[in-house]
Amino acid sequence: MEDEKGTTEDQLTPVGKMKGEIDGEFESFYVAVDNQGEVYINRDIEYSQRAYDKTDDWKQISKEKLMEYERDLHFMPSQSRGVRR
């Protein structure tokens, strides 16, 4: 089933990427949300047109856990691939 934006229930909306160091370990993952506002992360994203399809590679996390990551990691928002000026 599609919503008014043309996305299906199995598609996620990209939010951005988080990366940095936590406890001496490098962390890097993509962040996306579903149409219910649930947060998902993916540490090994598939670089294809289906990268943001909700698959087992996307792990749901709580908004509280995302806030913990935000304290320690650098956030890079998703960029539109539209026309550059």
Side-chain angles (χ1 to χ4, degrees):
M1 179 179 338
E2 290 189 7
D3 65 9
E4 63 275 358
K5 294 178 187 173
T7 58
T8 66
E9 291 177 13
D10 292 334
Q11 287 181 315
L12 299 170
T13 302
V15 175
K17 182 177 182 178
M18 298 189 91
K19 68 179 188 175
E21 196 173 303
I22 297 177
D23 297 329
E25 296 290 322
F26 181 74
E27 284 280 345
S28 175
F29 53 84
Y30 289 84
V31 180
V33 295
D34 67 8
N35 57 358
Q36 262 72 51
E38 299 298 326
V39 180
Y40 291 82
I41 64 171
N42 187 337
R43 288 183 167 84
D44 189 24
I45 196 166
E46 174 184 323
Y47 295 101
S48 72
Q49 289 183 344
R50 299 184 52 147
Y52 288 94
D53 287 356
K54 196 185 299 184
T55 62
D56 291 339
D57 292 334
W58 287 96
K59 306 297 181 206
Q60 186 175 356
I61 64 168
S62 68
K63 291 178 182 166
E64 292 78 18
K65 185 65 176 173
L66 180 62
M67 289 172 58
E68 286 179 33
Y69 284 135
E70 286 178 341
R71 283 193 297 265
D72 297 323
L73 301 175
H74 177 70
F75 177 73
M76 298 177 307
S78 285
Q79 297 178 357
S80 171
R81 300 234 192 288
V83 177
R84 293 186 182 188
R85 295 178 195 216

